[in-house]
């Protein structure tokens, strides 16, 4: 069985203005404004291709649009407070553009209706935005004993699954989501 071709992806990749040189160096090409955009584009496109058969009809598209931003702890703490009313930094936030992905833990806020078929943007499905704290990711990578690259991929895959409607309100659904993330990172369908 062959892996499905990845869909087209319009990825807006940004780095927070306050990320320090030591942190961006530790993140390697994943935090480089040009090389990072290419690497993230390839990785997320591959993940969307792997997930395509599992997606509900409303989220199946030949092209997607999403944003990925790497920020520092103060920037994500501000978002966490504004959108989730929770103090302090978190590792990843996902702001879904589709109605199928709203939850009360703030992983997918700001949902907008899907474009009408044949209307503007109908061929490219807007998924939303993923925001990752590079500072928190670096701390978590050290705590877990793995690379910062792996932690960023773990957090990005978590955010992407939230944009695609996954949620983890209980231990069983969290275990399933974490298992799916591991398969995405490993490149398994």
């Amino acid at each position: 069985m062959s892996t499905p071709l990845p869909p087209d992806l319009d990825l807006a990749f940004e780095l927070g203005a306050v990320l320090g040189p030591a942190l961006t160096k530790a993140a390697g090409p994943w935090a480089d404004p040009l090389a990072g955009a290419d690497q993230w584009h390839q990785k997320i496109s591959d993940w969307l291709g792997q997930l395509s058969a599992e997606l509900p009809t409303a989220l199946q598209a030949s092209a997607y649009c999403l944003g990925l931003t790497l920020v520092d702890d103060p920037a994500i703490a501000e978002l966490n407070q504004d959108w989730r009313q929770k103090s302090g930094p978190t590792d990843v936030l996902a702001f879904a553009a589709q109605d199928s992905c709203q939850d009360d833990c703030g992983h997918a806020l700001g949902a907008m209706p899907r474009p009408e078929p044949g209307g503007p943007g109908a061929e490219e499905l807007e998924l939303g935005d993923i925001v990752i704290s590079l500072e928190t990711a670096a701390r978590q990578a050290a705590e877990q004993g793995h690379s910062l690259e792996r932690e960023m991929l773990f957090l990005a895959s978590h955010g992407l699954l939230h944009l695609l409607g996954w949620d983890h309100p209980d231990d069983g659904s969290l275990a399933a989501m974490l298992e799916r993330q591991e398969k995405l990172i490993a490149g398994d369908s």
Side-chain angles (χ1 to χ4, degrees):
M1 184 162 146
S2 64
T3 303
L5 290 175
D8 289 334
L9 175 64
D10 181 6
L11 176 68
F13 174 68
E14 296 181 53
L15 296 175
V18 188
L19 291 175
L23 197 52
T24 54
K25 183 178 180 182
W30 295 96
D32 179 90
L34 298 176
D38 290 341
Q39 284 193 234
W40 284 114
H41 184 275
Q42 182 64 51
K43 184 58 70 179
I44 294 171
S45 291
D46 289 347
W47 289 345
L48 287 167
Q50 290 174 43
L51 291 163
S52 64
E54 301 169 41
L55 296 177
T57 304
L59 293 176
Q60 291 181 3
S62 60
Y64 295 93
C65 179
L66 68 95
L68 174 65
T69 306
L70 303 179
V71 298
D72 62 2
D73 278 351
I76 208 162
E78 185 176 333
L79 289 170
N80 203 21
Q81 181 64 49
D82 290 349
W83 289 94
R84 298 175 66 207
Q85 292 71 51
K86 295 191 179 197
S87 297
T90 188
D91 51 8
V92 61
L93 293 172
F95 299 95
Q98 301 303 313
D99 288 330
S100 66
C101 187
Q102 293 181 348
D103 68 10
D104 61 358
C105 67
H107 286 100
L109 296 169
M112 300 181 301
R114 181 175 183 190
E116 292 297 318
E123 292 184 24
E124 186 176 86
L125 183 62
E126 172 65 42
L127 292 178
D129 294 289
I130 302 167
V131 182
I132 297 172
S133 170
L134 199 50
E135 283 185 283
T136 298
R139 277 194 310 278
Q140 291 178 171
E143 290 167 6
Q144 297 296 317
H146 56 244
S147 70
L148 178 54
E149 175 183 339
R150 187 193 188 303
E151 187 68 16
M152 288 187 298
L153 293 173
F154 182 81
L155 296 174
S157 65
H158 190 84
L160 180 63
L161 289 176
H162 274 300
L163 296 183
L164 295 171
W166 287 68
D167 194 12
H168 47 81
D170 55 51
D171 290 343
S173 58
L174 176 61
M177 189 169 180
L178 296 176
E179 181 180 334
R180 191 62 183 106
Q181 284 176 245
E182 291 299 336
K183 286 182 178 180
L184 289 174
I185 293 168
D188 299 336
S189 290

